[in-house]
Amino acid sequence: MRIDKYLWCTRYFKTRNKASEACKKGMVRIGGQVVKPSREVLPMDEVQLRKSQMNLSLKVLDIPPQRVGSKWVGIYRRDTTPAEELERFKMVQTSR
């Protein structure tokens, strides 16, 4: 499955077009390398994503057959974002 479609299916982006734009802008990396929207994603890939001024990390566990509901997303990916990044984001949001 293409990385832009995967990010859309696992609800990181509301539209596939936004996921594709993020890839084109260099905000999506697999294994530390910037990827194009057409890059195939495979189980066990490490994906880094910059979204809303936050650096997210995830591990691909499986490929979804289609866009999944929010409670089923955990079957297809594991969030590996460092706790420090989440705390930093919370502090920025509360200071506004």
Side-chain angles (χ1 to χ4, degrees):
M1 176 180 282
R2 294 167 52 113
I3 184 66
D4 61 342
K5 188 173 181 181
Y6 178 82
L7 292 172
W8 171 72
C9 284
T10 55
R11 299 186 167 269
Y12 279 95
F13 292 98
K14 286 187 177 186
T15 66
R16 188 168 166 190
N17 188 38
K18 288 185 181 189
S20 182
E21 287 176 14
C23 293
K24 289 176 185 175
K25 291 180 180 179
M27 302 169 91
V28 179
R29 296 171 180 264
I30 296 179
Q33 293 184 325
V34 176
V35 295
K36 294 181 180 179
S38 61
R39 164 70 154 73
E40 289 292 314
V41 67
L42 303 169
M44 307 314 287
D45 277 348
E46 298 283 340
V47 178
Q48 294 82 36
L49 169 67
R50 178 130 177 109
K51 184 178 176 201
S52 303
Q53 299 179 354
M54 190 169 157
N55 295 317
L56 303 170
S57 300
L58 62 120
K59 186 170 197 161
V60 177
L61 299 178
D62 200 3
I63 306 299
Q66 60 190 13
R67 187 165 167 98
V68 295
S70 59
K71 70 181 188 181
W72 301 108
V73 171
I75 296 171
Y76 300 104
R77 61 104 178 125
R78 182 179 327 130
D79 188 3
T80 58
T81 305
E84 302 85 43
E85 182 68 22
L86 296 172
E87 287 298 320
R88 184 187 66 77
F89 185 71
K90 287 179 186 175
M91 290 182 69
V92 169
Q93 292 297 317
T94 57
S95 67
R96 289 184 178 179

